[in-house]
Amino acid sequence: MGSWRGLRLAAGNGFRLYERNASSAVRFTRNSELKGINGFCTKPQEGPKATTNMYSHRVPLHKPTDWEKKMLIWSGRFKKTDEIPETISFEMLDAAKNKVRVKISYVMIALTVAGCIMMVIEGKKAAKRNESLTKLNLEKKARLREEAAAINGKTE
């Protein structure tokens, strides 16, 4: 796996070189206008506008859907849908999804263990009735041999 690490490092270095060369010619400003850099300081004409879907430190926000609101409640982040703000950060949503994912995996583990215990109980009941897979398989093969013999007897 050493080759993967080397490949990642080479790709990262190549991207940094490309980014450095590309940023000297053209650069995106905060309000996403293309501005050419001619060696002079270029200042935006207007001050930065505060958007309604961003925190002051520029974290993008997301308006949660009904399903995502249910996940936020199931994860224990909020108690009621009324408490959920209109917009939430993607980090909060990812944390809630991870908590729900872990809870679902715990439920699946518990169901698997319960299923195993039930199968052990059913196997013990079948053993008391003298039923086993070997015995059932031998009976099935004997029945199939009899049917095959009956079919061969009719054709002859």
Side-chain angles (χ1 to χ4, degrees):
M1 283 294 167
S3 62
W4 284 108
R5 185 172 186 261
L7 182 64
R8 283 193 327 211
L9 288 174
N13 290 337
F15 181 73
R16 276 190 231 107
L17 284 173
Y18 170 75
E19 187 179 35
R20 184 174 55 194
N21 292 337
S23 66
S24 64
V26 176
R27 183 177 294 164
F28 283 101
T29 61
R30 282 193 173 187
N31 40 354
S32 299
E33 297 173 5
L34 273 175
K35 293 194 174 191
I37 307 283
N38 298 328
F40 298 106
C41 179
T42 58
K43 294 182 181 178
Q45 297 294 329
E46 301 174 11
K49 297 178 182 177
T51 58
T52 58
N53 64 345
M54 297 276 190
Y55 285 128
S56 62
H57 56 281
R58 310 289 293 174
V59 174
L61 296 178
H62 170 72
K63 184 175 181 190
T65 62
D66 291 336
W67 177 250
E68 291 168 342
K69 286 181 181 181
K70 287 181 184 177
M71 279 203 285
L72 287 166
I73 292 170
W74 290 340
S75 68
R77 184 75 177 180
F78 298 100
K79 299 295 179 192
K80 299 176 186 174
T81 55
D82 301 337
E83 296 176 2
I84 300 173
E86 192 172 309
T87 55
I88 59 171
S89 68
F90 285 107
E91 289 83 11
M92 183 187 298
L93 185 61
D94 286 341
K97 284 181 180 179
N98 287 336
K99 281 186 179 181
V100 170
R101 193 176 297 130
V102 168
K103 286 182 181 183
I104 289 173
S105 68
Y106 286 157
V107 169
M108 290 173 58
I109 289 170
L111 290 174
T112 302
V113 169
C116 291
I117 291 171
M118 285 177 40
M119 288 298 112
V120 167
I121 292 170
E122 289 295 318
K124 288 186 177 186
K125 286 180 182 177
K128 286 180 182 176
R129 293 188 305 255
N130 291 326
E131 293 178 3
S132 68
L133 290 177
T134 307
K135 186 176 179 181
L136 293 173
N137 200 10
L138 288 174
E139 289 173 0
K140 181 180 176 183
K141 285 183 180 180
R143 186 173 28 94
L144 289 174
R145 282 192 199 110
E146 289 173 3
E147 290 175 4
I151 292 175
N152 286 339
K154 288 182 182 178
T155 57
E156 292 179 1

